[in-house]
Amino acid sequence: MSSRRQHPANMRSAVSSKRSRSEPLIDSLPEGIMHDIVSRLTLKDAVRTSCVSTTWRRLWRCHPDLCFDGPTILNREPGSRSRRRRHRFIRRVNAILESHDGTRLRRFKIAFTLDIRHAKYLDPWLNFALDSKASILSVNLRPVLHKGSVRSWEETYTLPVRMFSSQCASCIEMLQLGCVSLKPPHDFDGFANLRVLDLEYVYMLGGNLDLLLSKCNALECLRLSRCCPMPNLKVQQPLCRLSYLSVRECLPRGMEFNAPNLTKLDYSGQAIPITLSESMKLTQATVALMGYDDTLEHVLTELPKTLSHVETLSVRTCINTEVFGFSRCLVKYNHLIKLEVTVSILGDSRNRNGILRLANLLEVAHHLQRLELNMLPHVSTGFLNNVPEAYWHIQPCTHRHLEQVEVSGFIGVNGQLELVLYILDNAVALRGMSIEPRVTAYDRVFGYWAGLDIDIKTGRECVLKNILPEDYPDVQIEIF
C-alpha cells in the first residue's frame, strides 16, 4: 500500500491545532495587552475573566477602576435600608480589597448607604485608596430617605484627616463627595493637582470651605450642592484655571471668586451679591433665584454687574403683580445674545404693571437677538380686562437686534397681552414670534403641567382677538 505524502500547509495546520489544544491563543498575548483588555471592563466583568484560564485568573486583581455600589456588588440600587444587604455589601468589598494588589489603581468609588457607624470599614477602604495613589476618589454615602424619615448631619461619616496630608493630597486629581463631613486641618497645604471638586450634601466641620478652595490652585471644575454651613463663600485666592463653577442651594449670604478664566456659571439659590473678579471670559450662565419673593429687580440691576460679558443666559425668577415701578438699569448685559427667562407670576391678576416690568429686558440687553419667555402664572386669568394700549406709560425703547421671540404660558393674565404688543412695536428687527398658551417650563410646585384647559382656551382667544398678523407684516407670528 503506497503512503501519500502530506502537504506542508496541512502539517502547519496540524502543529497549530496541537498548540491550540495545549495552550489557548488568548494566553499567548503579551501581559501588557491582557492588562489593557481587563482595564476596559467593569469590575464585575473583570472578575469574570478569572474563569477564562489560569493565566487570566489573577489579572483582575490589579483592575484600575474599583467601583463599589449597589448594582455592581449586590445587583441592586445604591440605597438600601436592609441591614442584611448592608452587611453583605461590606463583606464583599472587604473580600475584593483583600485580593486586589493595590497597583495600577486609578479610580476608587464607594456609593452606598453608610454613615458614621460604619467608620471602622470606611476608614480602611479609603486608606487602601490613598495607599494605592488613586487619582479619582468618589465617596457618596447619601441615604435613601423614606417619607417621614430624617437624617442628621451628626450621623454623617467624616473623611480621615490623612487625606489632607501632602503625600496623599498630591495624588488626587478628581474628588467627588456626597453626604459626608469634611474637616481639613488649619495647616493644610492644599490639593496641588486637584482639577475637579464635586461636593454634594457635604458638612464642613469648622466652616473651612474657603480655606479648602483657596488651596486648590489647579482647580478647573467646581460643583457645590447643598453644602453647609456656608455663611459666606469668598475665595480671594486667584483660581486661574477654574473654567466651570456651579453653586446650588448652599444658601450663602454672598459669593466672591477671583477666576480670570471662568467661562460657565451655574447658580441656584437666594438673590445674593455675586462678585466674579476679572472673569472677562464668562460667556454662559444659568441663574435660578429660589423662593417666591419678587426678584426681577435683582435680575435687571444686580446680575448685569457680574454677567456683563455673558452671551447666553438662562434665568429663573419670580414677579409679583402688585409690585409697581420700573427699574432704571445703569449696568447692562453688553454682550447678551440669547436670553431664556422662566418667571413665576404671583399676586392679584387685576394688576398689569407687575408683568409689564418684564419690558425692561429689552432695555437692559440691547444686543439681544433671541428671547425665550416662559411664564408660570399662579394667578387666575384676567382676559376681560386686557387693554392693548395699556402700556402707553412705558417709555419706548427701540430694539434693533431682537429677531426671534418665543412666549409660553400666555393665558391672558393682565399685562401679558400688553407685554407682547410692546415687544412687537419696539423690536424693529423682529422676524418671528411664537405664542404658546400652554405652560412649557418646569414648575417647582406642579412639575411639568400645561395648565388648566380653560386658561389655555382663554389665552388663545385673547391672542387671536388682539394680535392681528396683518398689523405686523414683517413678523411671522405663530399661535399654538
Side-chain angles (χ1 to χ4, degrees):
M1 217 174 152
S2 61
S3 60
R4 184 175 297 176
R5 189 173 181 180
Q6 194 170 5
H7 194 275
N10 294 334
M11 293 178 64
R12 288 195 298 269
S13 177
V15 172
S16 176
S17 177
K18 291 180 181 179
R19 185 172 59 188
S20 63
R21 286 195 295 269
S22 60
E23 179 185 356
L25 180 61
I26 196 170
D27 286 349
S28 63
L29 293 173
E31 184 178 357
I33 294 180
M34 290 191 289
H35 280 295
D36 183 65
I37 293 173
V38 172
S39 69
R40 297 172 185 270
L41 303 175
T42 64
L43 177 60
K44 184 184 295 186
D45 291 336
V47 173
R48 289 172 179 167
T49 61
S50 61
C51 301
V52 173
S53 68
T54 55
T55 306
W56 286 69
R57 186 170 298 169
R58 301 180 62 87
L59 287 178
W60 74 269
R61 300 186 179 187
C62 54
H63 194 273
D65 189 353
L66 293 182
C67 176
F68 301 126
D69 56 15
T72 302
I73 305 300
L74 300 178
N75 294 321
R76 292 180 177 273
E77 291 303 313
S80 175
R81 291 173 62 88
S82 170
R83 182 178 300 179
R84 180 173 56 85
R85 290 173 186 160
R86 192 179 294 117
H87 287 169
R88 187 188 306 163
F89 178 87
I90 292 172
R91 287 198 306 270
R92 292 183 179 179
V93 173
N94 283 336
I96 292 173
L97 293 182
E98 287 176 2
S99 300
H100 200 281
D101 62 11
T103 61
R104 302 174 184 262
L105 188 60
R106 183 182 64 89
R107 180 170 176 256
F108 186 89
K109 176 182 177 180
I110 302 172
F112 204 73
T113 302
L114 300 170
D115 53 41
I116 193 173
R117 295 171 297 178
H118 309 98
K120 62 181 179 180
Y121 306 110
L122 290 166
D123 284 345
W125 296 351
L126 291 176
N127 284 328
F128 177 90
L130 296 174
D131 290 337
S132 303
K133 294 180 171 55
S135 60
I136 302 176
L137 186 60
S138 177
V139 182
N140 186 356
L141 308 183
R142 184 178 178 183
V144 176
L145 296 178
H146 295 264
K147 187 176 181 180
S149 61
V150 179
R151 180 70 178 269
S152 170
W153 285 111
E154 297 177 354
E155 301 176 24
T156 58
Y157 168 72
T158 303
L159 269 69
V161 179
R162 183 187 171 215
M163 188 181 73
F164 300 100
S165 66
S166 300
Q167 183 178 2
C168 296
S170 62
C171 298
I172 302 176
E173 298 180 10
M174 180 183 296
L175 184 60
Q176 299 172 312
L177 302 177
C179 203
V180 298
S181 296
L182 279 179
K183 189 176 182 180
H186 291 286
D187 58 350
F188 173 53
D189 292 331
F191 293 102
N193 298 303
L194 187 65
R195 296 183 296 103
V196 178
L197 179 60
D198 190 342
L199 305 181
E200 183 177 9
Y201 286 101
V202 172
Y203 187 80
M204 296 299 302
L205 295 171
N208 289 329
L209 182 60
D210 297 353
L211 171 66
L212 176 66
L213 296 177
S214 65
K215 296 187 177 182
C216 299
N217 297 325
L219 204 59
E220 299 173 6
C221 174
L222 174 61
R223 301 186 189 95
L224 304 174
S225 177
R226 300 183 181 182
C227 299
C228 70
M230 195 180 294
N232 283 293
L233 184 57
K234 295 186 178 182
V235 183
Q236 298 179 350
Q237 179 71 20
L239 299 177
C240 296
R241 298 185 184 181
L242 187 65
S243 61
Y244 175 73
L245 173 61
S246 175
V247 180
R248 303 183 62 83
E249 301 180 43
C250 293
L251 304 180
R253 292 193 293 266
M255 193 169 80
E256 182 177 341
F257 281 85
N258 187 346
N261 289 302
L262 187 67
T263 59
K264 186 175 180 179
L265 171 69
D266 185 359
Y267 173 77
S268 175
Q270 302 295 325
I272 61 171
I274 300 177
T275 302
L276 300 175
S277 303
E278 306 298 330
S279 296
M280 310 291 286
K281 299 180 181 179
L282 181 61
T283 58
Q284 185 175 352
T286 300
V287 179
L289 301 177
M290 310 300 291
Y292 291 99
D293 294 329
D294 191 296
T295 53
L296 183 60
E297 184 86 8
H298 188 82
V299 174
L300 296 174
T301 61
E302 294 298 325
L303 286 183
K305 300 175 183 177
T306 302
L307 308 178
S308 61
H309 289 83
V310 165
E311 298 176 1
T312 302
L313 175 61
S314 176
V315 173
R316 177 176 287 269
T317 184
C318 181
I319 62 175
N320 192 316
T321 60
E322 300 174 26
V323 176
F324 300 106
F326 295 85
S327 305
R328 183 174 181 180
C329 310
L330 300 178
V331 184
K332 303 182 185 299
Y333 297 101
N334 293 321
H335 297 84
L336 190 60
I337 296 175
K338 181 180 179 181
L339 174 61
E340 177 185 353
V341 179
T342 301
V343 54
S344 297
I345 302 173
L346 305 175
D348 191 337
S349 64
R350 292 172 297 180
N351 299 321
R352 61 174 53 89
N353 287 350
I355 295 178
L356 278 173
R357 293 162 61 218
L358 289 168
N360 272 4
L361 293 173
L362 271 63
E363 180 184 352
V364 77
H366 49 266
H367 289 294
L368 190 64
Q369 298 179 12
R370 184 182 180 90
L371 172 62
E372 182 177 334
L373 186 56
N374 305 308
M375 290 184 272
L376 302 170
H378 292 266
V379 296
S380 60
T381 57
F383 167 67
L384 296 177
N385 295 322
N386 273 295
V387 182
E389 295 80 12
Y391 71 83
W392 61 268
H393 60 288
I394 308 176
Q395 184 175 357
C397 176
T398 302
H399 200 289
R400 303 187 183 279
H401 300 279
L402 188 61
E403 299 178 355
Q404 183 68 36
V405 176
E406 298 177 10
V407 179
S408 67
F410 187 101
I411 63 172
V413 172
N414 279 338
Q416 286 186 322
L417 175 61
E418 295 87 334
L419 175 63
V420 170
L421 291 174
Y422 178 86
I423 296 174
L424 286 169
D425 291 340
N426 288 274
V428 295
L430 194 63
R431 294 292 176 264
M433 173 180 281
S434 63
I435 303 174
E436 169 64 82
R438 289 184 293 266
V439 175
T440 61
Y442 178 81
D443 191 291
R444 286 173 288 176
V445 177
F446 302 105
Y448 285 106
W449 181 62
L452 296 174
D453 291 339
I454 186 173
D455 288 341
I456 295 173
K457 180 181 178 182
T458 302
R460 187 175 291 113
E461 292 175 351
C462 175
V463 175
L464 292 174
K465 179 181 178 180
N466 295 282
I467 300 179
L468 304 178
E470 54 267 25
D471 292 340
Y472 305 96
D474 296 330
V475 182
Q476 182 179 354
I477 301 176
E478 294 182 275
I479 303 171
F480 295 95

